[in-house]
Amino acid sequence: MTLNPVPLDPRTLPGPVWIVSPHPDDEALGCAALIAALTALGREVHALLVTDGGFSHPHSPSYPRARLAQIRLAEWRAGLATLGVPEARTHALGLPDGALDQVEPATMGREVGQMFADAPPATLLLPWRRDPHPDHRAAWGPVWEVAPPAARRLEYAVWLPERGDVSAWPTTQEARIWSIVVGAARSRKAQAIAAHATQLRGISDDPHGFTLAPEMVERALTGPELFFEAFLQPLPAAADATT
Ligand SMILES: [Zn+2]
């Protein structure tokens, strides 16, 4: 892809900032350098975890779902702490990992809206609407709809560079494409990713379980981080397309 992204200045992003992660580790892979920059600026940064993360190793005898979900929540919080987000600003919904598209969008939206209520986002970071993971795509609409209309919305790439086909990428007419250089934040980003031990060959008794490939980790550490800011807000669905 020839993108020509424009460098994003974190100082232009107002707080409170909310980072929405469908799974624990999405923010570490997709926007750790930006999070570190925002907390260094003193922004009020909140993180919202949508799923329980418990589906990465469904056949592991030693990590049944409830245990895995508990560990992944702790990994997520530890990774965020290395980026300057305190546990008190982490919020988890516990919706079903791997099955977000089975959750009623209105239900998901209502739960996300309740989380936002005490510190409504002035800046919202959420995975790109066509990021190639079904949970990421399922989370996009409900989160987008319940954020305050005036919130600045930046959609971050997680699996797009790894797995996205051409149609998954934004066009230059569709969104402004921003980048954050990882650079000096590399070691903190590496720490944030390393916190997710269960995803880094930390579970050996599920041969079909998920593992973050070293190439994926290296790509995330090399950067840049990519953020897409849509030029147009999506229009509400027409009640009657013929009128
Ligand atoms: Zn994810």
Side-chain angles (χ1 to χ4, degrees), residues 22-26 133 135-136 158-159:
H23 311 108
D25 75 6
D26 290 324
H133 189 301
D135 284 345
H136 295 194
V158 183
W159 292 106

Side-chain angles (χ1 to χ4, degrees), residues 52-59 65 68-69 72 96-99 135 206 209-210:
D52 67 346
F55 195 60
S56 63
H57 296 76
H59 306 294
R65 184 164 191 146
L68 181 55
R72 292 203 69 194
D97 182 8
D135 284 345
D206 181 354
F210 172 79

Side-chain angles (χ1 to χ4, degrees), residues 21-199:
S21 304
H23 311 108
D25 75 6
D26 290 324
E27 74 299 322
L29 295 164
C31 45
L34 177 56
I35 296 169
L38 289 166
T39 58
L41 287 168
R43 290 288 186 280
E44 180 180 335
V45 176
H46 293 260
L48 173 63
L49 179 59
V50 181
T51 75
D52 67 346
F55 195 60
S56 63
H57 296 76
H59 306 294
S60 167
S62 58
Y63 290 83
R65 184 164 191 146
R67 177 174 186 223
L68 181 55
Q70 193 177 27
I71 292 171
R72 292 203 69 194
L73 178 62
E75 291 176 342
W76 179 68
R77 287 182 168 144
L80 283 162
T82 68
L83 303 173
V85 181
E87 183 173 332
R89 289 183 181 159
T90 66
H91 316 264
L93 288 180
L95 294 174
D97 182 8
L100 267 193
D101 55 0
Q102 310 293 310
V103 178
E104 183 64 40
T107 304
M108 197 190 316
R110 193 166 52 244
E111 294 192 19
V112 173
Q114 286 166 356
M115 293 288 179
F116 286 166
D118 288 342
T123 299
L124 175 67
L125 303 175
L126 75 170
W128 167 238
R129 59 191 73 184
R130 294 195 298 277
D131 202 59
H133 189 301
D135 284 345
H136 295 194
R137 295 181 179 201
W140 181 84
V143 172
W144 182 282
E145 283 197 9
V146 298
R152 194 162 171 200
R153 294 143 203 263
L154 297 173
E155 300 175 48
Y156 63 93
V158 183
W159 292 106
L160 188 64
E162 194 82 2
R163 300 182 185 164
D165 60 26
V166 171
S167 65
W169 286 82
T171 66
T172 50
Q173 290 78 40
E174 187 178 17
R176 189 179 304 280
I177 298 169
W178 299 104
S179 66
I180 289 280
V181 170
V182 176
R186 183 180 168 109
S187 64
R188 283 178 82 189
K189 182 163 187 171
Q191 269 184 285
I193 294 173
H196 299 274
T198 57
Q199 308 303 295

